């Protein structure tokens, strides 16, 4: 497996995981109904934003690296 293919595979799995987590949150919000749906939509958007922009910081901090 070459580097480009491995990179694509990793990115595809990451996007699939984020999409699945978003669908799970929105599904829970829809099951509860009412204003909870909008809360879960906003929460999932914030979670995806944080995961996209700050995931490297989270990983480094969790390993206690500098």
């Amino acid at each position: 497996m070459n580097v480009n293919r491995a990179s694509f595979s990793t990115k595809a799995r990451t996007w699939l995981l984020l999409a699945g987590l978003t669908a799970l949150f929105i599904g829970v919000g829809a099951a509860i109904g009412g204003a909870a749906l909008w809360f879960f939509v906003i929460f999932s958007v914030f979670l995806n934003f944080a995961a996209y922009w700050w995931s490297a910081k989270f990983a480094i901090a969790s390993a206690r690296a500098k």
Side-chain angles (χ1 to χ4, degrees):
M1 182 181 289
N2 63 19
V3 174
N4 288 336
R5 190 170 186 172
S7 177
F8 175 76
S9 175
T10 303
K11 288 178 184 179
R13 282 186 277 152
T14 301
W15 282 105
L16 185 63
L17 179 64
L18 286 175
L21 191 59
T22 300
L24 177 68
F25 281 136
I26 292 174
V28 168
I32 295 171
L37 173 62
W38 292 110
F39 171 76
F40 279 98
V41 167
I42 291 169
F43 180 71
S44 67
V45 167
F46 173 75
L47 188 68
N48 285 334
F49 179 79
Y52 183 78
W53 287 104
W54 299 309
S55 61
K57 281 186 180 180
F58 294 154
I60 290 171
S62 69
R64 296 184 181 153
K66 292 189 179 191

Short mmCIF file of all heavy atoms in Angstrom, two decimals:
data_model
loop_
_atom_site.label_atom_id
_atom_site.label_comp_id
_atom_site.label_asym_id
_atom_site.label_seq_id
_atom_site.Cartn_x
_atom_site.Cartn_y
_atom_site.Cartn_z
N MET A 1 0.86 -1.17 0.00
CA MET A 1 0.00 0.00 0.00
C MET A 1 0.90 1.24 0.00
O MET A 1 1.80 1.36 0.81
CB MET A 1 -0.89 -0.02 1.25
CG MET A 1 -1.84 1.13 1.30
SD MET A 1 -2.90 1.18 2.76
CE MET A 1 -3.98 -0.18 2.46
N ASN A 2 0.64 2.15 -0.92
CA ASN A 2 1.47 3.34 -0.99
C ASN A 2 0.96 4.43 -0.04
O ASN A 2 -0.11 4.31 0.55
CB ASN A 2 1.59 3.86 -2.42
CG ASN A 2 0.25 4.28 -2.98
OD1 ASN A 2 -0.68 4.52 -2.24
ND2 ASN A 2 0.17 4.38 -4.29
N VAL A 3 1.71 5.49 0.09
CA VAL A 3 1.41 6.55 1.05
C VAL A 3 0.10 7.26 0.69
O VAL A 3 -0.71 7.55 1.57
CB VAL A 3 2.58 7.55 1.12
CG1 VAL A 3 2.23 8.73 1.99
CG2 VAL A 3 3.83 6.87 1.62
N ASN A 4 -0.13 7.54 -0.58
CA ASN A 4 -1.35 8.24 -0.98
C ASN A 4 -2.58 7.42 -0.68
O ASN A 4 -3.60 7.95 -0.23
CB ASN A 4 -1.31 8.59 -2.47
CG ASN A 4 -0.33 9.70 -2.75
OD1 ASN A 4 -0.01 10.50 -1.87
ND2 ASN A 4 0.17 9.74 -3.98
N ARG A 5 -2.51 6.13 -0.92
CA ARG A 5 -3.66 5.27 -0.65
C ARG A 5 -3.93 5.16 0.84
O ARG A 5 -5.07 5.18 1.28
CB ARG A 5 -3.43 3.89 -1.26
CG ARG A 5 -4.64 3.04 -1.23
CD ARG A 5 -4.44 1.80 -2.03
NE ARG A 5 -5.68 1.07 -2.09
CZ ARG A 5 -5.88 0.04 -2.83
NH1 ARG A 5 -4.91 -0.40 -3.60
NH2 ARG A 5 -7.03 -0.58 -2.83
N ALA A 6 -2.88 5.06 1.65
CA ALA A 6 -3.04 4.99 3.10
C ALA A 6 -3.61 6.30 3.63
O ALA A 6 -4.46 6.29 4.52
CB ALA A 6 -1.71 4.68 3.76
N SER A 7 -3.16 7.42 3.09
CA SER A 7 -3.66 8.73 3.51
C SER A 7 -5.14 8.87 3.19
O SER A 7 -5.92 9.34 4.01
CB SER A 7 -2.87 9.84 2.83
OG SER A 7 -3.39 11.09 3.18
N PHE A 8 -5.54 8.45 1.99
CA PHE A 8 -6.94 8.50 1.61
C PHE A 8 -7.78 7.60 2.50
O PHE A 8 -8.86 7.98 2.94
CB PHE A 8 -7.13 8.11 0.14
CG PHE A 8 -8.57 8.03 -0.26
CD1 PHE A 8 -9.29 9.20 -0.48
CD2 PHE A 8 -9.23 6.82 -0.37
CE1 PHE A 8 -10.63 9.15 -0.82
CE2 PHE A 8 -10.56 6.76 -0.72
CZ PHE A 8 -11.27 7.93 -0.95
N SER A 9 -7.29 6.42 2.78
CA SER A 9 -8.02 5.48 3.63
C SER A 9 -8.22 6.04 5.03
O SER A 9 -9.31 5.93 5.60
CB SER A 9 -7.25 4.16 3.70
OG SER A 9 -7.88 3.27 4.59
N THR A 10 -7.21 6.66 5.58
CA THR A 10 -7.31 7.25 6.91
C THR A 10 -8.31 8.40 6.91
O THR A 10 -9.14 8.51 7.82
CB THR A 10 -5.93 7.75 7.38
OG1 THR A 10 -5.03 6.66 7.36
CG2 THR A 10 -5.99 8.34 8.76
N LYS A 11 -8.23 9.25 5.91
CA LYS A 11 -9.16 10.38 5.83
C LYS A 11 -10.59 9.90 5.63
O LYS A 11 -11.52 10.44 6.22
CB LYS A 11 -8.76 11.32 4.71
CG LYS A 11 -7.51 12.11 5.02
CD LYS A 11 -7.12 13.00 3.87
CE LYS A 11 -5.82 13.71 4.16
NZ LYS A 11 -5.38 14.55 3.06
N ALA A 12 -10.79 8.88 4.81
CA ALA A 12 -12.13 8.36 4.56
C ALA A 12 -12.72 7.78 5.84
O ALA A 12 -13.89 8.00 6.16
CB ALA A 12 -12.09 7.31 3.46
N ARG A 13 -11.92 7.04 6.60
CA ARG A 13 -12.40 6.48 7.86
C ARG A 13 -12.72 7.58 8.87
O ARG A 13 -13.71 7.48 9.60
CB ARG A 13 -11.37 5.52 8.46
CG ARG A 13 -11.40 4.18 7.78
CD ARG A 13 -10.49 3.20 8.48
NE ARG A 13 -9.14 3.46 7.93
CZ ARG A 13 -8.02 3.24 8.57
NH1 ARG A 13 -8.03 2.78 9.79
NH2 ARG A 13 -6.87 3.48 8.00
N THR A 14 -11.93 8.64 8.89
CA THR A 14 -12.19 9.76 9.80
C THR A 14 -13.50 10.44 9.45
O THR A 14 -14.33 10.72 10.33
CB THR A 14 -11.03 10.77 9.74
OG1 THR A 14 -9.83 10.11 10.11
CG2 THR A 14 -11.28 11.94 10.67
N TRP A 15 -13.70 10.73 8.17
CA TRP A 15 -14.95 11.38 7.75
C TRP A 15 -16.15 10.48 8.00
O TRP A 15 -17.22 10.95 8.39
CB TRP A 15 -14.88 11.79 6.28
CG TRP A 15 -14.08 13.04 6.10
CD1 TRP A 15 -12.83 13.13 5.59
CD2 TRP A 15 -14.46 14.37 6.45
NE1 TRP A 15 -12.41 14.44 5.60
CE2 TRP A 15 -13.39 15.22 6.12
CE3 TRP A 15 -15.61 14.92 7.01
CZ2 TRP A 15 -13.43 16.59 6.33
CZ3 TRP A 15 -15.64 16.29 7.22
CH2 TRP A 15 -14.57 17.12 6.89
N LEU A 16 -15.98 9.19 7.79
CA LEU A 16 -17.08 8.25 8.05
C LEU A 16 -17.42 8.22 9.54
O LEU A 16 -18.60 8.20 9.91
CB LEU A 16 -16.69 6.86 7.56
CG LEU A 16 -17.77 5.79 7.64
CD1 LEU A 16 -18.95 6.18 6.75
CD2 LEU A 16 -17.21 4.45 7.19
N LEU A 17 -16.42 8.24 10.39
CA LEU A 17 -16.64 8.26 11.83
C LEU A 17 -17.36 9.53 12.26
O LEU A 17 -18.31 9.49 13.04
CB LEU A 17 -15.32 8.11 12.57
CG LEU A 17 -15.39 8.15 14.09
CD1 LEU A 17 -16.19 6.96 14.62
CD2 LEU A 17 -14.00 8.15 14.68
N LEU A 18 -16.91 10.68 11.76
CA LEU A 18 -17.57 11.94 12.10
C LEU A 18 -19.01 11.99 11.59
O LEU A 18 -19.90 12.47 12.28
CB LEU A 18 -16.77 13.13 11.55
CG LEU A 18 -15.48 13.45 12.27
CD1 LEU A 18 -14.72 14.55 11.55
CD2 LEU A 18 -15.76 13.85 13.70
N ALA A 19 -19.23 11.49 10.39
CA ALA A 19 -20.60 11.46 9.84
C ALA A 19 -21.49 10.53 10.67
O ALA A 19 -22.65 10.86 10.94
CB ALA A 19 -20.57 11.01 8.39
N GLY A 20 -20.95 9.39 11.07
CA GLY A 20 -21.73 8.47 11.90
C GLY A 20 -22.07 9.05 13.26
O GLY A 20 -23.19 8.90 13.76
N LEU A 21 -21.11 9.75 13.87
CA LEU A 21 -21.36 10.37 15.16
C LEU A 21 -22.39 11.49 15.04
O LEU A 21 -23.27 11.63 15.89
CB LEU A 21 -20.04 10.92 15.72
CG LEU A 21 -20.04 11.38 17.16
CD1 LEU A 21 -20.44 10.24 18.10
CD2 LEU A 21 -18.68 11.91 17.54
N THR A 22 -22.30 12.26 13.96
CA THR A 22 -23.29 13.31 13.72
C THR A 22 -24.68 12.70 13.54
O THR A 22 -25.67 13.19 14.11
CB THR A 22 -22.91 14.13 12.48
OG1 THR A 22 -21.63 14.73 12.71
CG2 THR A 22 -23.92 15.21 12.19
N ALA A 23 -24.78 11.64 12.77
CA ALA A 23 -26.07 10.98 12.55
C ALA A 23 -26.62 10.42 13.86
O ALA A 23 -27.83 10.50 14.11
CB ALA A 23 -25.92 9.87 11.52
N LEU A 24 -25.75 9.88 14.70
CA LEU A 24 -26.19 9.37 15.99
C LEU A 24 -26.76 10.48 16.86
O LEU A 24 -27.85 10.33 17.44
CB LEU A 24 -25.02 8.68 16.70
CG LEU A 24 -25.32 8.15 18.10
CD1 LEU A 24 -26.29 6.98 18.02
CD2 LEU A 24 -24.04 7.75 18.79
N PHE A 25 -26.05 11.60 16.95
CA PHE A 25 -26.55 12.72 17.77
C PHE A 25 -27.87 13.27 17.24
O PHE A 25 -28.79 13.54 18.00
CB PHE A 25 -25.52 13.84 17.84
CG PHE A 25 -24.41 13.58 18.80
CD1 PHE A 25 -23.10 13.86 18.45
CD2 PHE A 25 -24.65 13.07 20.06
CE1 PHE A 25 -22.07 13.63 19.33
CE2 PHE A 25 -23.63 12.83 20.95
CZ PHE A 25 -22.33 13.11 20.59
N ILE A 26 -27.96 13.44 15.93
CA ILE A 26 -29.20 13.96 15.35
C ILE A 26 -30.33 12.95 15.52
O ILE A 26 -31.48 13.32 15.78
CB ILE A 26 -28.98 14.36 13.88
CG1 ILE A 26 -28.04 15.58 13.84
CG2 ILE A 26 -30.29 14.67 13.19
CD1 ILE A 26 -27.63 16.00 12.46
N GLY A 27 -30.03 11.66 15.42
CA GLY A 27 -31.05 10.63 15.65
C GLY A 27 -31.56 10.64 17.08
O GLY A 27 -32.76 10.50 17.32
N VAL A 28 -30.66 10.81 18.04
CA VAL A 28 -31.09 10.89 19.45
C VAL A 28 -31.96 12.13 19.66
O VAL A 28 -32.99 12.07 20.32
CB VAL A 28 -29.86 10.90 20.39
CG1 VAL A 28 -30.25 11.28 21.80
CG2 VAL A 28 -29.17 9.55 20.37
N GLY A 29 -31.53 13.26 19.08
CA GLY A 29 -32.32 14.48 19.20
C GLY A 29 -33.69 14.35 18.56
O GLY A 29 -34.69 14.82 19.09
N ALA A 30 -33.77 13.66 17.43
CA ALA A 30 -35.05 13.45 16.76
C ALA A 30 -35.94 12.51 17.57
O ALA A 30 -37.16 12.68 17.62
CB ALA A 30 -34.83 12.90 15.37
N ALA A 31 -35.32 11.51 18.23
CA ALA A 31 -36.11 10.58 19.05
C ALA A 31 -36.69 11.29 20.27
O ALA A 31 -37.82 11.00 20.67
CB ALA A 31 -35.24 9.41 19.48
N ILE A 32 -35.94 12.21 20.85
CA ILE A 32 -36.44 12.97 21.99
C ILE A 32 -37.50 13.96 21.52
O ILE A 32 -38.53 14.12 22.16
CB ILE A 32 -35.29 13.68 22.73
CG1 ILE A 32 -34.35 12.64 23.34
CG2 ILE A 32 -35.82 14.62 23.79
CD1 ILE A 32 -33.07 13.22 23.92
N GLY A 33 -37.21 14.62 20.41
CA GLY A 33 -38.17 15.53 19.80
C GLY A 33 -38.10 16.94 20.36
O GLY A 33 -37.36 17.24 21.31
N GLY A 34 -38.84 17.81 19.75
CA GLY A 34 -38.92 19.20 20.19
C GLY A 34 -37.62 19.95 20.02
O GLY A 34 -36.91 19.81 19.02
N ALA A 35 -37.32 20.76 21.04
CA ALA A 35 -36.12 21.59 21.00
C ALA A 35 -34.84 20.76 21.15
O ALA A 35 -33.76 21.24 20.82
CB ALA A 35 -36.18 22.65 22.10
N ALA A 36 -34.96 19.54 21.64
CA ALA A 36 -33.78 18.69 21.80
C ALA A 36 -33.12 18.42 20.46
O ALA A 36 -31.90 18.29 20.39
CB ALA A 36 -34.16 17.38 22.48
N LEU A 37 -33.91 18.33 19.40
CA LEU A 37 -33.34 18.10 18.07
C LEU A 37 -32.37 19.23 17.72
O LEU A 37 -31.25 18.97 17.29
CB LEU A 37 -34.43 18.00 17.02
CG LEU A 37 -33.94 17.92 15.57
CD1 LEU A 37 -33.10 16.67 15.35
CD2 LEU A 37 -35.11 17.94 14.62
N TRP A 38 -32.78 20.46 17.92
CA TRP A 38 -31.92 21.59 17.58
C TRP A 38 -30.69 21.65 18.48
O TRP A 38 -29.61 22.01 18.04
CB TRP A 38 -32.69 22.90 17.64
CG TRP A 38 -33.70 22.94 16.55
CD1 TRP A 38 -35.05 22.87 16.68
CD2 TRP A 38 -33.44 23.01 15.15
NE1 TRP A 38 -35.64 22.90 15.44
CE2 TRP A 38 -34.67 22.99 14.49
CE3 TRP A 38 -32.28 23.09 14.40
CZ2 TRP A 38 -34.77 23.05 13.11
CZ3 TRP A 38 -32.38 23.15 13.03
CH2 TRP A 38 -33.62 23.12 12.39
N PHE A 39 -30.86 21.28 19.75
CA PHE A 39 -29.71 21.23 20.65
C PHE A 39 -28.69 20.22 20.14
O PHE A 39 -27.49 20.51 20.10
CB PHE A 39 -30.15 20.87 22.07
CG PHE A 39 -28.99 20.60 22.98
CD1 PHE A 39 -28.24 21.65 23.49
CD2 PHE A 39 -28.64 19.30 23.32
CE1 PHE A 39 -27.15 21.41 24.32
CE2 PHE A 39 -27.55 19.05 24.14
CZ PHE A 39 -26.81 20.11 24.65
N PHE A 40 -29.14 19.04 19.75
CA PHE A 40 -28.22 18.00 19.28
C PHE A 40 -27.60 18.36 17.92
O PHE A 40 -26.46 18.00 17.66
CB PHE A 40 -28.91 16.64 19.22
CG PHE A 40 -28.98 15.96 20.55
CD1 PHE A 40 -30.12 16.02 21.33
CD2 PHE A 40 -27.89 15.27 21.05
CE1 PHE A 40 -30.18 15.41 22.56
CE2 PHE A 40 -27.93 14.64 22.28
CZ PHE A 40 -29.08 14.72 23.05
N VAL A 41 -28.32 19.06 17.07
CA VAL A 41 -27.75 19.51 15.80
C VAL A 41 -26.63 20.51 16.06
O VAL A 41 -25.53 20.38 15.52
CB VAL A 41 -28.84 20.13 14.89
CG1 VAL A 41 -28.21 20.87 13.72
CG2 VAL A 41 -29.78 19.06 14.39
N ILE A 42 -26.88 21.48 16.92
CA ILE A 42 -25.87 22.48 17.26
C ILE A 42 -24.68 21.82 17.95
O ILE A 42 -23.52 22.13 17.66
CB ILE A 42 -26.48 23.60 18.12
CG1 ILE A 42 -27.45 24.41 17.27
CG2 ILE A 42 -25.40 24.50 18.71
CD1 ILE A 42 -28.31 25.37 18.05
N PHE A 43 -24.95 20.88 18.85
CA PHE A 43 -23.89 20.17 19.55
C PHE A 43 -23.02 19.38 18.57
O PHE A 43 -21.80 19.39 18.67
CB PHE A 43 -24.47 19.25 20.61
CG PHE A 43 -23.43 18.49 21.38
CD1 PHE A 43 -22.61 19.14 22.28
CD2 PHE A 43 -23.27 17.13 21.20
CE1 PHE A 43 -21.64 18.44 22.99
CE2 PHE A 43 -22.32 16.43 21.89
CZ PHE A 43 -21.50 17.08 22.80
N SER A 44 -23.64 18.71 17.61
CA SER A 44 -22.86 17.92 16.66
C SER A 44 -22.04 18.82 15.73
O SER A 44 -20.91 18.47 15.37
CB SER A 44 -23.76 16.99 15.86
OG SER A 44 -24.62 17.71 15.01
N VAL A 45 -22.56 19.98 15.36
CA VAL A 45 -21.80 20.92 14.54
C VAL A 45 -20.59 21.42 15.33
O VAL A 45 -19.47 21.46 14.80
CB VAL A 45 -22.68 22.10 14.07
CG1 VAL A 45 -21.84 23.23 13.49
CG2 VAL A 45 -23.69 21.62 13.05
N PHE A 46 -20.79 21.77 16.60
CA PHE A 46 -19.68 22.22 17.44
C PHE A 46 -18.65 21.10 17.61
O PHE A 46 -17.45 21.34 17.54
CB PHE A 46 -20.17 22.68 18.81
CG PHE A 46 -19.04 22.99 19.75
CD1 PHE A 46 -18.30 24.15 19.59
CD2 PHE A 46 -18.71 22.12 20.76
CE1 PHE A 46 -17.24 24.42 20.43
CE2 PHE A 46 -17.66 22.38 21.61
CZ PHE A 46 -16.92 23.55 21.45
N LEU A 47 -19.11 19.88 17.84
CA LEU A 47 -18.20 18.75 18.02
C LEU A 47 -17.37 18.51 16.77
O LEU A 47 -16.16 18.27 16.85
CB LEU A 47 -18.99 17.50 18.39
CG LEU A 47 -18.19 16.29 18.80
CD1 LEU A 47 -17.51 16.54 20.13
CD2 LEU A 47 -19.10 15.09 18.91
N ASN A 48 -17.99 18.58 15.60
CA ASN A 48 -17.25 18.39 14.35
C ASN A 48 -16.25 19.52 14.12
O ASN A 48 -15.14 19.29 13.66
CB ASN A 48 -18.21 18.30 13.17
CG ASN A 48 -18.90 16.97 13.13
OD1 ASN A 48 -18.40 15.98 13.61
ND2 ASN A 48 -20.08 16.95 12.55
N PHE A 49 -16.65 20.75 14.44
CA PHE A 49 -15.74 21.89 14.32
C PHE A 49 -14.54 21.70 15.23
O PHE A 49 -13.39 21.89 14.80
CB PHE A 49 -16.49 23.18 14.68
CG PHE A 49 -15.64 24.41 14.61
CD1 PHE A 49 -15.36 25.01 13.39
CD2 PHE A 49 -15.12 24.98 15.76
CE1 PHE A 49 -14.58 26.15 13.33
CE2 PHE A 49 -14.33 26.11 15.70
CZ PHE A 49 -14.07 26.70 14.49
N ALA A 50 -14.77 21.32 16.48
CA ALA A 50 -13.68 21.11 17.43
C ALA A 50 -12.79 19.96 16.98
O ALA A 50 -11.56 20.05 17.08
CB ALA A 50 -14.24 20.84 18.82
N ALA A 51 -13.38 18.89 16.50
CA ALA A 51 -12.58 17.75 16.05
C ALA A 51 -11.73 18.11 14.85
O ALA A 51 -10.59 17.68 14.73
CB ALA A 51 -13.49 16.57 15.71
N TYR A 52 -12.25 18.93 13.97
CA TYR A 52 -11.49 19.32 12.77
C TYR A 52 -10.33 20.24 13.12
O TYR A 52 -9.22 20.06 12.65
CB TYR A 52 -12.42 20.00 11.76
CG TYR A 52 -11.73 20.37 10.48
CD1 TYR A 52 -11.48 19.41 9.51
CD2 TYR A 52 -11.33 21.68 10.24
CE1 TYR A 52 -10.84 19.75 8.33
CE2 TYR A 52 -10.69 22.03 9.06
CZ TYR A 52 -10.45 21.05 8.11
OH TYR A 52 -9.81 21.40 6.95
N TRP A 53 -10.58 21.25 13.93
CA TRP A 53 -9.58 22.27 14.18
C TRP A 53 -8.62 21.93 15.32
O TRP A 53 -7.47 22.37 15.31
CB TRP A 53 -10.23 23.62 14.47
CG TRP A 53 -10.81 24.21 13.22
CD1 TRP A 53 -12.12 24.25 12.88
CD2 TRP A 53 -10.08 24.80 12.14
NE1 TRP A 53 -12.26 24.85 11.65
CE2 TRP A 53 -11.02 25.20 11.17
CE3 TRP A 53 -8.74 25.04 11.90
CZ2 TRP A 53 -10.65 25.82 9.99
CZ3 TRP A 53 -8.38 25.66 10.73
CH2 TRP A 53 -9.33 26.04 9.79
N TRP A 54 -9.08 21.21 16.35
CA TRP A 54 -8.26 21.03 17.54
C TRP A 54 -7.91 19.59 17.84
O TRP A 54 -7.41 19.28 18.92
CB TRP A 54 -8.96 21.64 18.75
CG TRP A 54 -9.18 23.11 18.61
CD1 TRP A 54 -8.26 24.05 18.28
CD2 TRP A 54 -10.42 23.80 18.77
NE1 TRP A 54 -8.84 25.28 18.23
CE2 TRP A 54 -10.17 25.16 18.53
CE3 TRP A 54 -11.71 23.40 19.10
CZ2 TRP A 54 -11.15 26.12 18.62
CZ3 TRP A 54 -12.69 24.36 19.19
CH2 TRP A 54 -12.41 25.71 18.94
N SER A 55 -8.10 18.67 16.92
CA SER A 55 -7.83 17.26 17.21
C SER A 55 -6.35 17.00 17.46
O SER A 55 -6.01 16.16 18.31
CB SER A 55 -8.34 16.38 16.07
OG SER A 55 -7.68 16.71 14.86
N ALA A 56 -5.46 17.71 16.79
CA ALA A 56 -4.03 17.52 17.03
C ALA A 56 -3.65 17.94 18.44
O ALA A 56 -2.89 17.25 19.12
CB ALA A 56 -3.22 18.30 16.01
N LYS A 57 -4.21 19.06 18.90
CA LYS A 57 -3.95 19.51 20.27
C LYS A 57 -4.46 18.50 21.28
O LYS A 57 -3.82 18.24 22.29
CB LYS A 57 -4.60 20.86 20.53
CG LYS A 57 -3.86 22.03 19.98
CD LYS A 57 -4.54 23.31 20.43
CE LYS A 57 -3.83 24.52 19.89
NZ LYS A 57 -4.48 25.76 20.30
N PHE A 58 -5.65 17.97 21.03
CA PHE A 58 -6.23 16.97 21.95
C PHE A 58 -5.35 15.73 22.02
O PHE A 58 -5.12 15.20 23.09
CB PHE A 58 -7.63 16.57 21.51
CG PHE A 58 -8.65 17.68 21.60
CD1 PHE A 58 -9.76 17.67 20.78
CD2 PHE A 58 -8.51 18.73 22.48
CE1 PHE A 58 -10.72 18.66 20.84
CE2 PHE A 58 -9.45 19.75 22.55
CZ PHE A 58 -10.56 19.71 21.73
N ALA A 59 -4.86 15.27 20.89
CA ALA A 59 -4.03 14.07 20.85
C ALA A 59 -2.70 14.29 21.56
O ALA A 59 -2.23 13.44 22.33
CB ALA A 59 -3.79 13.64 19.42
N ILE A 60 -2.09 15.44 21.34
CA ILE A 60 -0.81 15.74 21.99
C ILE A 60 -1.01 15.88 23.49
O ILE A 60 -0.21 15.36 24.29
CB ILE A 60 -0.19 17.01 21.39
CG1 ILE A 60 0.27 16.71 19.95
CG2 ILE A 60 0.96 17.53 22.22
CD1 ILE A 60 0.71 17.94 19.18
N ALA A 61 -2.06 16.54 23.91
CA ALA A 61 -2.32 16.72 25.34
C ALA A 61 -2.64 15.40 26.02
O ALA A 61 -2.23 15.15 27.17
CB ALA A 61 -3.47 17.71 25.55
N SER A 62 -3.37 14.52 25.35
CA SER A 62 -3.71 13.24 25.96
C SER A 62 -2.49 12.34 26.13
O SER A 62 -2.45 11.50 27.03
CB SER A 62 -4.77 12.52 25.14
OG SER A 62 -4.24 12.09 23.91
N ALA A 63 -1.47 12.55 25.28
CA ALA A 63 -0.23 11.78 25.40
C ALA A 63 0.77 12.47 26.34
O ALA A 63 1.86 11.96 26.55
CB ALA A 63 0.41 11.60 24.03
N ARG A 64 0.37 13.62 26.86
CA ARG A 64 1.22 14.44 27.73
C ARG A 64 2.54 14.79 27.06
O ARG A 64 3.59 14.81 27.70
CB ARG A 64 1.44 13.75 29.07
CG ARG A 64 0.18 13.59 29.85
CD ARG A 64 0.45 13.00 31.20
NE ARG A 64 -0.84 12.85 31.89
CZ ARG A 64 -1.06 11.95 32.81
NH1 ARG A 64 -0.09 11.13 33.17
NH2 ARG A 64 -2.22 11.87 33.38
N ALA A 65 2.46 15.04 25.78
CA ALA A 65 3.64 15.42 25.01
C ALA A 65 3.69 16.92 24.84
O ALA A 65 2.71 17.62 25.08
CB ALA A 65 3.61 14.74 23.64
N LYS A 66 4.85 17.40 24.44
CA LYS A 66 4.99 18.85 24.20
C LYS A 66 5.64 19.07 22.86
O LYS A 66 6.39 18.31 22.38
CB LYS A 66 5.82 19.49 25.30
CG LYS A 66 5.12 19.49 26.61
CD LYS A 66 5.89 20.32 27.60
CE LYS A 66 5.10 20.30 28.92
NZ LYS A 66 5.58 21.24 29.86
#
